[in-house]
C-alpha cells in the first residue's frame, strides 16, 4: 500500500490539506470579528442579542475547524507540533484560553441566574474576537520570520541521557513573537480582516436596515487598517530574505526575496493570491457602494485563496516552513518533519471522505441560514444565545 504514492508526493499533499484548513479557519474568523461589534454595532439589548445569535450559530464551525487544523498538523507533521506547541506554549495557551471563554460565553450568556451577568460574557466574546485572530496571526507570522528553537533528532536514540528532540531557546516561550513588528502586522491584518468579514456576514444574515447602515460605516473604518497592515506585511515579506533549503544537501540558508521568488517560481500560487486579493476587495467594494448583501461570499472565497497561497508558499519550492533563528539547520521543512510514509498513506485514504464532510457542513450551513435573523425571532424562547 505504501508504494502507491511517493513519499514527497504525500508530504506535499498533506501540506496542501493542512494549509487549506488554515485558510478556511481564517475565513471562519468572521465569527470572532462579528463578536467585536456587540458593544458598538448593537445599540439596544435586542440588537446585541441579534449579533450574538448571528455569530452563535456559526461559532462551532470555527472551533471544529481549529481543532481539525491542529489535529491534521499533528498527524502529518508531528515534529512541528512537538516543537511549536511544546516550546511556544505561552502563546498557544493564550489562544486556547481565548477560545475557552468564547465557548463558555455562548453556553451561559442567556442562561437564567448566571452569576457573572450577560455583560461579562459579552466582554469575554469581545476578548476572544480581538485576541484569538491577533495571536494566531502573530504565531503564523513566525513561519516567515522564524523562532528561537533547536532540533536534534539524534537524541531520540540516546537511551542513557537526554532524549529531548526539540527545545525552545527563548525564555518567553512563544510570547517573544509579539515583539517582532512583522509578526504583529500579520496579526493585525487577520484581526481587522476578521472584523471586515464579520460585518459582511452580519449584513447578509441580519434583517435590520438600521444595523446594515451602521455596518457599512464600520466597514469603511475597518477596511483602512486592514489594508495598511496587510499590504505592509506582504511588501515587507516579499522584500525580506527568506529561509531557503538546498535540495541536494538539505542545508538551510538565507535567500534574498525568497517568498517573492516562490510566487514567481509557482505561478499558480501567484494567480491564486491575486485572485484572492481581488475577491476580498470586490466583496468589500460592492458592500459599500451598492445595496447588495452578498459581499461576504466574494470576500470569503478571496480570503481562502489568499491565505492558502501564502501558507503553501512557505512549504514548497525548497523552503523551510518553520525556520529557526537560533540554528538555521534546525529549521523544519515538509520533508524533515513529516510522519512516516505508511502514516501519510493511510491518512490520505481517510482524507477521501473530506468531500462528504464538506457536503454535510454546507447542508448544515444552508439549513441554519434559511431565515435571516430579525427582531421577531428574538422573541422566541428556543435557540437564543
Amino acid at each position: 500500500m505504501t508504494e502507491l504514492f511517493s513519499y514527497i508526493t504525500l508530504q506535499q499533499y498533506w501540506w496542501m490539506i493542512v494549509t487549506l484548513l488554515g485558510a478556511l479557519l481564517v475565513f471562519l474568523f468572521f465569527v470572532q470579528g462579528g463578536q467585536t461589534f456587540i458593544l458598538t454595532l448593537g445599540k439596544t439589548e435586542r440588537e446585541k442579542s441579534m449579533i450574538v445569535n448571528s455569530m452563535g450559530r456559526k461559532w462551532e464551525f470555527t472551533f471544529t475547524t481549529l481543532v481539525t487544523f491542529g489535529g491534521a498538523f499533528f498527524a502529518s507533521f508531528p515534529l512541528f507540533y512537538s516543537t511549536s506547541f511544546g516550546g511556544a506554549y505561552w502563546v498557544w495557551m493564550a489562544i486556547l484560553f481565548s477560545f475557552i471563554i468564547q465557548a463558555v460565553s455562548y453556553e451561559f450568556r442567556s442562561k437564567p441566574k448566571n452569576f457573572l451577568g450577560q455583560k461579562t460574557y459579552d466582554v469575554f466574546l469581545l476578548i476572544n474576537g480581538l485576541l484569538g485572530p491577533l495571536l494566531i496571526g502573530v504565531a503564523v507570522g513566525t513561519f516567515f520570520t522564524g523562532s528561537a528553537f533547536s532540533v536534534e533528532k539524534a537524541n531520540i536514540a540516546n537511551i542513557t541521557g537526554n532524549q529531548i528532540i526539540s527545545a525552545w531557546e527563548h525564555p518567553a516561550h512563544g510570547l517573544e513573537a509579539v515583539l517582532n513588528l512583522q509578526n504583529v502586522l500579520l496579526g493585525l491584518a487577520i484581526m481587522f480582516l476578521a472584523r471586515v468579514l464579520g460585518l459582511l456576514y452580519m449584513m447578509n444574515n441580519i434583517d435590520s436596515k438600521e444595523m446594515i447602515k451602521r455596518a457599512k460605516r464600520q466597514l469603511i473604518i475597518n477596511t483602512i487598517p486592514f489594508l495598511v497592515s496587510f499590504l505592509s506585511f506582504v511588501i515587507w515579506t516579499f522584500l525580506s530574505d527568506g529561509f531557503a533549503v538546498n535540495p541536494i544537501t538539505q542545508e538551510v540558508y538565507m535567500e534574498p526575496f525568497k517568498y517573492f521568488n516562490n510566487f514567481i517560481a509557482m505561478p499558480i500560487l501567484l494567480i491564486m493570491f491575486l485572485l484572492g486579493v481581488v475577491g476580498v476587495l470586490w466583496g468589500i467594494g460592492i458592500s459599500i457602494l451598492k445595496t447588495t448583501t452578498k459581499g461576504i461570499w466574494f470576500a470569503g472565497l478571496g480570503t481562502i485563496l489568499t491565505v492558502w497561497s501564502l501558507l503553501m508558499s512557505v512549504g514548497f519550492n525548497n523552503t523551510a516552513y518553520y525556520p529557526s533563528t537560533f540554528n538555521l539547520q534546525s529549521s523544519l521543512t515538509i520533508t524533515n518533519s513529516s510522519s512516516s510514509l505508511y502514516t501519510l498513506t493511510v491518512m490520505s485514504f481517510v482524507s477521501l471522505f473530506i468531500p462528504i464532510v464538506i457536503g454535510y457542513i454546507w447542508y448544515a450551513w444552508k439549513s441554519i441560514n434559511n431565515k435571516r435573523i430579525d427582531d421577531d425571532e428574538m422573541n422566541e424562547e428556543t435557540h437564543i444565545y
Side-chain angles (χ1 to χ4, degrees):
M1 181 172 63
T2 58
E3 296 177 356
L4 289 176
F5 308 102
S6 69
Y7 199 11
I8 185 61
T9 298
L10 289 170
Q11 290 166 334
Q12 292 172 343
Y13 171 76
W14 275 101
W15 183 249
M16 293 174 63
I17 294 293
V18 168
T19 52
L20 175 59
L21 288 171
L24 290 171
L25 178 63
V26 173
F27 162 62
L28 290 171
F29 277 159
F30 73 78
V31 174
Q32 274 63 34
Q35 292 170 185
T36 63
F37 292 102
I38 295 173
L39 304 179
T40 54
L41 196 61
K43 300 300 182 182
T44 66
E45 290 303 317
R46 181 58 56 87
E47 289 179 345
K48 291 178 182 177
S49 291
M50 291 171 71
I51 293 173
V52 172
N53 280 270
S54 177
M55 299 298 107
R57 294 177 177 183
K58 295 294 187 295
W59 79 270
E60 290 174 325
F61 286 100
T62 308
F63 196 87
T64 302
T65 304
L66 176 64
V67 173
T68 305
F69 170 70
F73 224 143
F74 169 71
S76 52
F77 300 99
L79 189 53
F80 163 79
Y81 198 87
S82 63
T83 301
S84 183
F85 287 77
Y89 49 77
W90 283 124
V91 68
W92 292 114
M93 287 295 289
I95 292 170
L96 179 61
F97 173 77
S98 76
F99 279 91
I100 289 174
I101 62 175
Q102 180 200 36
V104 171
S105 297
Y106 279 120
E107 179 67 25
F108 293 103
R109 180 181 183 272
S110 296
K111 287 288 193 300
K113 299 180 181 180
N114 71 72
F115 70 95
L116 291 178
Q118 193 173 89
K119 290 184 178 179
T120 301
Y121 291 116
D122 288 345
V123 172
F124 284 172
L125 290 175
L126 173 64
I127 293 172
N128 168 253
L130 294 173
L131 199 63
L134 176 66
L135 289 180
I136 286 183
V138 169
V140 172
T142 61
F143 284 23
F144 299 89
T145 62
S147 301
F149 64 87
S150 60
V151 174
E152 184 52 67
K153 290 185 177 181
N155 284 346
I156 197 171
N158 188 358
I159 61 175
T160 61
N162 180 24
Q163 290 184 298
I164 298 176
I165 299 176
S166 56
W168 206 260
E169 304 294 347
H170 196 286
H173 287 282
L175 292 180
E176 71 276 7
V178 302
L179 300 178
N180 185 304
L181 180 58
Q182 192 174 352
N183 295 340
V184 173
L185 283 172
L186 181 59
L188 290 173
I190 292 180
M191 185 190 75
F192 281 109
L193 174 61
R195 285 168 64 86
V196 166
L197 293 175
L199 289 166
L200 293 175
Y201 180 76
M202 286 187 287
M203 291 170 67
N204 178 262
N205 187 243
I206 296 178
D207 188 7
S208 171
K209 292 182 179 179
E210 287 300 317
M211 293 184 69
I212 290 178
K213 288 181 181 178
R214 294 183 216 135
K216 281 192 175 185
R217 289 195 292 269
Q218 288 291 334
L219 188 56
I220 297 173
I221 294 171
N222 284 271
T223 295
I224 296 172
F226 159 63
L227 291 177
V228 170
S229 54
F230 175 72
L231 291 175
S232 297
F233 171 79
V234 170
I235 293 172
W236 190 338
T237 300
F238 282 179
L239 295 180
S240 299
D241 293 350
F243 299 83
V245 182
N246 186 309
I248 299 175
T249 65
Q250 296 301 302
E251 178 187 7
V252 180
Y253 63 96
M254 302 304 297
E255 177 183 316
F257 313 114
K258 172 60 176 172
Y259 302 108
F260 176 76
N261 293 338
N262 281 357
F263 277 97
I264 299 302
M266 297 179 286
I268 292 179
L269 295 190
L270 178 60
I271 293 172
M272 287 175 56
F273 178 78
L274 294 176
L275 288 176
V277 171
V278 170
V280 172
L281 295 177
W282 182 263
I284 294 172
I286 62 173
S287 299
I288 294 175
L289 301 175
K290 298 183 179 181
T291 57
T292 180
T293 60
K294 304 298 183 182
I296 179 62
W297 305 120
F298 293 100
L301 179 59
T303 296
I304 293 171
L305 290 176
T306 302
V307 176
W308 194 18
S309 60
L310 279 172
L311 291 178
M312 281 198 290
S313 72
V314 299
F316 292 151
N317 196 39
N318 300 311
T319 310
Y321 73 85
Y322 199 55
S324 171
T325 55
F326 178 80
N327 177 10
L328 281 181
Q329 306 317 312
S330 291
S331 300
L332 303 185
T333 68
I334 63 172
T335 58
N336 69 12
S337 64
S338 72
S339 293
S340 67
L341 173 61
Y342 179 82
T343 300
L344 293 181
T345 302
V346 173
M347 288 170 53
S348 297
F349 283 110
V350 174
S351 72
L352 296 177
F353 291 96
I354 289 177
I356 298 175
V357 176
I358 293 175
Y360 171 76
I361 292 173
W362 177 255
Y363 173 78
W365 184 295
K366 294 286 289 184
S367 299
I368 292 173
N369 275 26
N370 272 337
K371 184 178 181 296
R372 297 174 71 187
I373 291 178
D374 55 22
D375 190 67
D376 293 336
E377 188 172 349
M378 294 298 99
N379 293 322
E380 299 179 3
E381 295 183 358
T382 58
H383 304 296
I384 302 298
Y385 289 97

